[in-house]
């Protein structure tokens, strides 16, 4: 006798197979239980497109989003392709997440429209750890292309949405075919009695995710291994997951 | 003025066999043999064989009777001339004009290159050294004309005939030195003509009647009265694949298809030569005689035709077919040796194999240009603007990196922007600042970290920067600096953004 559950499982498998990603998905756990438990697959889907947007003061420079993205790339194996349009990236800062300079190949263009083909080119290359792209305009069609390319090769595409004008900032709110969209905004860090600065702290929001509800967490910024962590003083708070 | 080397390989057929098989040892007599009818005659004999009295043209049976442990190998004229050609190609290192002179010689025109070797004598010594080091007995002569050099190398002692002394050098040599046929030589001998000088002294008209045109031509060539060209050997160089069309084509899709086919053909012929493409040119000839050419380069030698064709895909759209394209030529104008390597074994997956990024880099380079695909390498410097250096994307790993403990931002503002600050005390970090017309209140700060100008790198102006890391009430982190102590009127600058 076929139970109801088996029928549903079978249908689910058929749907996944239609999506072309059946059985080939891999995930990268964040190492933060609250985060991983919430994500389908218990981690970041590797063969997929992910967007990172920064929110807060000086968001046009995307310092935190860059760090967040570099942290993910650093924990993946293999070389990283970084496609950029502006020359404001400061590579020595990436050593804080142990993204070694030998691992990163940069490809630089002047225009947004030229970056997208480069990202796609990188996604066709099997064996890359990740492709990081900095764009402000990412339409539905182009994001779908990137998503399909990422699914085919298993290389994750991490797109940092940059913006310099209000109009460009509004673009980052439009829907894309990315499988997740993250919003990273800095929040005040733990107070150190003796003065000085400790590890930074972010509000990491999962704004959009295929197969999971939006949610937000307060997390400690990436450490030297590129890992996020729950803040010690917030770890036991009951309602922290509801903070938005 | 011409200066020609004639290189004479004394025992080329047997030397070749020794080089090829490494056997028999030099002191054992070795001969090559060819058949004339049912008789087997010695075609050539090595030095050891000559020493025991074996000569060319002797019957093998007799030779075997004289030397019981004689090594006998069938002569291979085709193989010999092919090997001679290879040797000549190798000698292109001495001069660009080199030609094989079958069966046992090589011409080298050294006019204008001898100074590279330190004179003719040094060149000649070096040439003979190199050839003898390879186990080939050789003698060489340099003269004004090929015929004289040939004669002196074979029938004289070799060496250098000074310019203008050709006649003296040649006239004492036997008439065989004129490259004449056997019949002519024996006719001359019958008539008592033994030396070249005798022949040259004879009245020309009766001489031609008696010995034929050949004798007079060879004599003129040896004495330098008649010009004898040396046809330089052209090594098989650029690999070319081309296609001409009976009907001009104009569609881009067709063009791409043809390029793919040509790339495939080219890779096949490169495969036979064990080479891979580093630089590839595509030449398009249009009906109206206008042409276009595209060039792509690869970071590593490759024979992957799909990859090569793909490199053109981007650029091919810039080709204007006009009224149609008549011919497409693909030229591999730079190649590197490339040998096959087994990377995948059936059933066993490659593990931890370093990812080959050369194809990705090629594709990116084809799109945006070589200088825009790069890696950043650390530079031993404390000045933020100088901490990175661009290196080629496929440069070997630098291994070194920036220190992890350094608190550095992920984004740098270049050039730094001036900010207005207020501070509690002159040398304290600011309590608040205004950047881009927005006021930020500082809650936490760390610093200062002093970075000074590097006089050893030629910084003419001496400067000091005191860097602070700040966190504002919202939690955003900034990297700012003061360009001089407050007491000296230092100003504040925004320089970077942290996570």
């Amino acid at each position: 006798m076929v139970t109801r559950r088996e029928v549903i499982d079978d249908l689910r498998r058929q749907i996944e197979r239609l999506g072309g990603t059946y059985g080939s998905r891999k995930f990268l756990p964040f190492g933060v239980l609250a985060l991983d438990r919430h994500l389908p697959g218990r981690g970041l889907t590797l063969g997929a497109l992910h967007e990172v947007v920064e929110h807060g003061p000086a968001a046009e420079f995307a310092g935190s989003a860059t760090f967040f993205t570099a942290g993910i790339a650093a924990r993946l194996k293999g070389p990283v392709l970084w496609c950029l349009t502006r020359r404001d990236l400061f590579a020595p800062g990436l050593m804080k997440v142990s993204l070694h300079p030998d691992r990163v190949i940069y490809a630089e263009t002047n225009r947004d429209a030229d970056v997208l083909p480069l990202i796609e080119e990188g996604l066709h290359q099997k064996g890359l750890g990740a492709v990081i792209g900095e764009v402000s305009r990412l339409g539905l069609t182009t994001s779908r292309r990137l998503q399909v390319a990422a699914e085919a090769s298993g290389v994750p595409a991490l797109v940092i949405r940059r913006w310099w004008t209000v109009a460009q900032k509004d673009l980052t709110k439009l829907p894309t075919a990315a499988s997740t969209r993250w919003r990273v905004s800095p929040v005040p860090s733990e107070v150190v009695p003796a003065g000085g600065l400790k590890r930074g702290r972010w509000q990491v929001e999962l704004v959009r995710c295929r197969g999971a509800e939006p949610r937000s967490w307060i997390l400690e910024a990436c450490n030297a291994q590129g890992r996020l962590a729950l803040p010690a003083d917030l770890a036991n708070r009951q309602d922290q997951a509801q903070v938005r | 003025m011409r200066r020609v080397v004639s290189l004479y390989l004394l025992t080329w057929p047997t030397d070749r066999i020794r080089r090829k098989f490494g056997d028999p040892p030099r002191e054992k007599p070795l001969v090559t043999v060819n058949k004339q009818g049912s008789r087997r005659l010695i075609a050539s004999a090595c030095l050891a064989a000559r020493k025991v009295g074996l000569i060319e043209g002797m019957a093998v049976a007799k030779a075997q009777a004289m030397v019981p442990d004689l090594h006998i190998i069938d002569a291979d004229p085709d193989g010999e001339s092919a090997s001679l050609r290879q040797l000549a190609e190798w000698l292109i290192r001495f001069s660009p004009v080199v030609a094989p002179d079958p069966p046992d010689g090589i011409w080298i025109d050294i006019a204008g290159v001898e100074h590279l070797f330190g004179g003719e004598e040094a060149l000649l010594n070096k040439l003979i050294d190199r050839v003898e080091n390879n186990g080939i007995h050789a003698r060489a002569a340099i003269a004004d004309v090929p015929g004289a050099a040939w004669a002196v190398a074979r029938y004289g002692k070799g060496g250098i005939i000074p310019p203008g002394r050709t006649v003296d050098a040649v006239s004492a040599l036997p008439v065989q030195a004129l490259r004449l046929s056997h019949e002519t030589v024996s006719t001359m001998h019958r008539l008592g003509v033994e030396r070249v000088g005798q022949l040259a002294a004879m009245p020309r008209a009766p001489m031609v009647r008696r010995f034929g045109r050949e004798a007079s031509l060879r004599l003129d060539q040896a004495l330098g009265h008649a010009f004898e060209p040396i046809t330089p050997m052209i090594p098989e160089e650029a690999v070319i694949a081309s296609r001409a069309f009976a009907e001009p084509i104009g569609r881009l899709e067709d063009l791409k298809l043809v390029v793919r086919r040509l790339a495939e053909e080219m890779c096949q012929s490169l495969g036979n030569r064990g080479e891979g493409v580093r630089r590839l040119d595509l030449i398009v000839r249009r009906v109206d005689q206008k042409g276009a050419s595209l060039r792509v380069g690869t970071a590593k030698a490759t024979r992957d035709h799909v990859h090569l064709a793909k490199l053109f895909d981007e650029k091919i759209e810039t080709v204007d077919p006009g009224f149609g394209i008549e011919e497409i030529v693909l030229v591999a104008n730079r190649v590197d040796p490339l040998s096959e390597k087994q990377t995948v074994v059936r059933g066993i997956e490659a593990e931890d194999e370093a990812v080959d990024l050369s194809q990705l880099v090629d594709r990116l380079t084809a799109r945006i240009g070589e200088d825009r695909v790069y890696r950043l390498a650390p530079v031993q410097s404390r000045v933020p603007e100088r901490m990175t250096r661009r290196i080629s994307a496929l440069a070997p790993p630098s291994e070194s990196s920036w220190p992890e403990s350094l608190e550095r931002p992920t984004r740098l503002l270049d050039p730094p922007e001036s900010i207005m600050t207020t501070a509690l005390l002159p040398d304290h970090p600011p309590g608040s600042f205004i950047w881009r017309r927005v006021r930020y209140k500082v809650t936490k700060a760390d610093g200062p970290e002093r970075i000074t100008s590097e006089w050893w790198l030629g910084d003419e102006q001496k400067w000091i920067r005191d860097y602070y890391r700040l966190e504002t009430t919202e939690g955003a982190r900034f990297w700012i600096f003061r360009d001089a102590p407050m007491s000296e009127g230092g100003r504040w600058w925004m320089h970077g953004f942290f996570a």
Side-chain angles (χ1 to χ4, degrees):
Chain A
M1 200 190 110
V2 183
T3 63
R4 205 183 138 126
R5 195 186 170 79
E6 278 169 23
V7 172
I8 291 171
D9 279 350
D10 188 47
L11 283 172
R12 193 169 285 156
R13 239 173 276 135
Q14 281 185 24
I15 290 166
E16 280 187 348
R17 207 175 294 140
L18 287 174
T21 55
Y22 177 71
S24 64
R25 292 193 160 193
K26 283 184 184 157
F27 301 90
L28 177 78
F30 278 97
V32 178
L33 206 61
L35 204 67
D36 290 335
R37 210 182 274 159
H38 183 72
L39 291 167
R42 309 258 175 239
L44 200 70
T45 322
L46 283 193
L49 173 66
H50 305 280
E51 283 179 85
V52 185
V53 188
E54 176 154 351
H55 192 70
E60 57 266 51
F61 289 97
S64 308
T66 307
F67 211 54
F68 178 81
T69 315
I72 295 171
R75 285 188 295 131
L76 290 163
K77 250 175 79 179
V80 174
L81 176 68
W82 200 308
C83 310
L84 26 83
T85 47
R86 298 231 170 180
R87 291 187 174 184
D88 57 357
L89 184 75
F90 192 53
L94 303 181
M95 272 317 286
K96 284 304 264 183
V97 287
S98 303
L99 188 57
H100 197 277
D102 282 347
R103 281 183 58 195
V104 190
I105 290 180
Y106 298 93
E108 186 187 289
T109 56
N110 299 330
R111 293 188 308 138
D112 238 29
D114 296 336
V115 172
L116 293 162
L118 297 183
I119 301 174
E120 196 180 332
E121 202 70 80
L123 291 176
H124 289 313
Q125 177 75 38
K126 285 207 171 79
L128 275 189
V131 180
I132 300 176
E134 298 178 9
V135 286
S136 46
R137 192 178 292 271
L138 183 67
L140 259 179
T141 323
T142 40
S143 58
R144 182 80 199 132
R145 278 185 76 108
L146 296 184
Q147 170 74 22
V148 169
E151 275 173 12
S153 66
V155 178
L158 309 168
V159 170
I160 304 172
R161 299 294 298 270
R162 305 288 305 266
W163 53 267
W164 288 273
T165 61
V166 179
Q168 280 176 332
K169 188 183 179 185
D170 289 342
L171 280 179
T172 63
K173 291 177 185 145
L174 296 176
T176 61
S179 68
T180 63
R181 178 184 289 171
W182 300 85
R183 188 155 65 202
V184 184
S185 23
V187 292
S189 64
E190 198 183 338
V191 179
V192 186
L197 288 174
K198 276 189 91 174
R199 201 165 159 183
R201 198 170 280 185
W202 294 329
Q203 179 171 7
V204 175
E205 289 167 88
L206 184 60
V207 185
R208 200 185 294 274
C209 177
R210 228 187 264 169
E213 292 292 309
R215 206 154 180 191
S216 106
W217 300 266
I218 300 275
L219 297 171
E220 299 259 282
C222 303
N223 66 0
Q225 282 78 47
R227 287 188 186 284
L228 302 162
L230 269 188
D233 54 341
L234 294 178
N236 298 322
R237 224 161 75 183
Q238 282 300 307
D239 58 344
Q240 71 91 15
Q242 267 73 49
V243 175
R244 277 207 74 172
Chain B
M1 196 191 61
R2 244 174 142 194
R3 294 295 281 168
V4 180
V5 177
S6 173
L7 183 69
Y8 170 43
L9 311 171
L10 287 78
T11 52
W12 174 239
T14 50
D15 285 343
R16 178 177 161 265
I17 285 161
R18 283 211 169 91
R19 260 171 67 74
K20 199 167 161 190
F21 302 109
D23 206 53
R26 293 197 157 271
E27 60 277 4
K28 293 272 172 68
L30 166 70
V31 294
T32 63
V33 166
N34 58 11
K35 272 192 171 177
Q36 269 184 10
S38 60
R39 298 173 68 204
R40 295 176 75 212
L41 301 176
I42 294 177
S44 71
C46 75
L47 289 184
R50 286 183 197 179
K51 217 172 268 172
V52 293
L54 306 184
I55 52 162
E56 282 150 34
M58 189 185 256
V60 172
K62 188 180 171 193
Q64 275 174 317
M66 287 165 68
V67 185
D69 60 345
L70 184 63
H71 293 266
I72 299 172
I73 289 178
D74 282 335
D76 173 15
D78 292 341
E80 279 159 27
S81 69
S83 304
L84 190 68
R85 208 181 150 78
Q86 277 175 12
L87 182 67
E89 247 172 67
W90 179 68
L91 289 173
I92 285 180
R93 66 186 57 212
F94 285 96
S95 157
V97 185
V98 176
D101 168 29
D104 55 4
I106 287 168
W107 302 118
I108 308 171
D109 189 337
I110 56 154
V113 298
E114 75 281 354
H115 67 277
L116 301 175
F117 300 88
E120 289 185 345
E121 196 174 342
L123 185 148
L124 203 62
N125 290 340
K126 192 167 181 188
L127 171 69
I128 291 179
D129 273 358
R130 297 211 77 142
V131 175
E132 297 233 319
N133 281 345
N134 279 289
I136 301 162
H137 294 290
R139 196 155 66 203
I142 301 180
D144 285 347
V145 289
W150 194 95
V152 176
R154 282 162 180 78
Y155 292 92
K157 289 201 176 90
I160 298 163
I161 312 300
R165 308 296 295 274
T166 309
V167 178
D168 303 348
V170 178
S171 41
L173 298 178
V175 286
Q176 286 97 317
L178 292 180
R179 295 178 277 169
L180 298 168
S181 62
H182 275 293
E183 295 82 56
T184 320
V185 170
S186 52
T187 316
M188 285 177 182
H189 283 178
R190 257 206 320 278
L191 296 171
V193 180
E194 297 279 340
R195 304 276 150 187
V196 177
Q198 285 175 282
L199 194 67
M202 284 173 76
R204 187 53 67 98
M207 186 199 97
V208 172
R209 221 167 334 140
R210 207 166 266 165
F211 304 120
R213 286 215 159 271
E214 186 205 3
S216 118
L217 177 71
R218 289 300 189 196
L219 182 66
D220 285 345
Q221 283 177 345
L223 298 178
H225 302 317
F227 184 79
E228 184 181 1
I230 295 176
T231 314
M233 191 177 49
I234 298 169
E236 290 172 38
E237 256 178 286
V239 180
I240 292 178
S242 69
R243 182 128 332 153
F245 309 105
E247 280 293 316
I249 61 166
R251 282 173 58 216
L252 272 180
E253 293 76 33
D254 297 342
L255 198 59
K256 283 185 182 170
L257 191 74
V258 173
V259 169
R260 222 165 295 153
R261 294 247 176 89
L262 290 178
E264 200 175 338
E265 273 172 31
M266 167 164 283
C267 290
Q268 213 147 31
S269 53
L270 283 169
N272 296 340
R273 297 163 50 138
E275 287 171 333
V277 179
R278 286 296 310 278
R279 196 164 57 211
L280 197 58
D281 284 345
L282 177 73
I283 298 159
V284 175
R285 295 216 176 91
R286 278 164 43 172
V287 177
D288 53 3
Q289 299 305 313
K290 280 187 190 154
S293 67
L294 303 173
R295 168 171 285 187
V296 294
T298 64
K300 241 174 77 179
T302 178
R303 274 204 299 270
D304 183 344
H305 61 89
V306 180
H307 173 57
L308 288 175
K310 215 182 254 175
L311 292 181
F312 280 114
D313 270 3
E314 275 299 304
K315 297 190 170 180
I316 230 165
E317 279 157 27
T318 63
V319 173
D320 172 19
F323 294 108
I325 292 162
E326 248 181 354
E327 193 184 8
I328 298 178
V329 187
L330 204 58
V331 187
N333 73 15
R334 202 170 135 211
V335 292
D336 273 354
L338 173 69
S339 50
E340 299 288 355
K341 195 174 114 195
Q342 181 165 11
T343 51
V344 183
V345 180
R346 204 160 159 201
I348 302 170
E349 269 197 50
E351 263 181 47
D352 268 359
E353 182 88 16
V355 187
D356 184 9
L357 291 176
S358 57
Q359 294 204 349
L360 173 66
V361 171
D362 290 346
R363 292 200 301 267
L364 296 174
T365 305
R367 275 177 189 274
I368 56 175
E370 199 171 351
D371 51 335
R372 287 170 151 199
V373 184
Y374 56 92
R375 271 201 348 243
L376 292 173
V379 174
Q380 295 295 325
S381 170
R382 299 276 289 171
V383 181
E385 291 90 336
R386 282 192 197 139
M387 284 175 87
T388 59
R389 168 171 67 94
R390 286 188 181 197
I391 55 173
S392 138
L394 294 177
S398 56
E399 301 294 343
S400 61
S401 67
W402 300 279
E404 276 171 51
S405 55
L406 226 50
E407 291 291 346
R408 288 290 174 266
T410 48
R411 298 281 171 178
L412 206 63
L413 202 54
D414 193 17
E417 286 174 16
S418 178
I419 52 172
M420 301 282 293
T421 61
T422 51
L424 233 60
L425 286 168
D427 275 336
H428 270 208
S432 71
F433 63 90
I434 299 171
W435 172 59
R436 291 192 176 179
R437 280 181 257 150
V438 178
R439 176 179 289 276
Y440 298 91
K441 200 168 172 317
V442 179
T443 53
K444 304 179 191 79
D446 200 2
E449 182 190 349
R450 176 161 289 189
I451 296 177
T452 55
S453 56
E454 294 166 314
W455 53 265
W456 60 93
L457 288 180
D459 279 345
E460 297 203 348
Q461 289 240 307
K462 242 185 104 185
W463 50 260
I464 294 173
R465 289 180 188 170
D466 284 332
Y467 277 93
Y468 289 90
R469 294 191 298 137
L470 306 180
E471 188 180 303
T472 64
T473 39
E474 295 101 326
R477 291 185 171 195
F478 297 95
W479 205 38
I480 64 165
F481 71 86
R482 193 181 54 211
D483 56 6
M486 215 59 204
S487 52
E488 290 167 27
R491 288 167 65 202
W492 290 89
W493 302 85
M494 171 67 63
H495 203 187
F497 307 91
F498 283 97

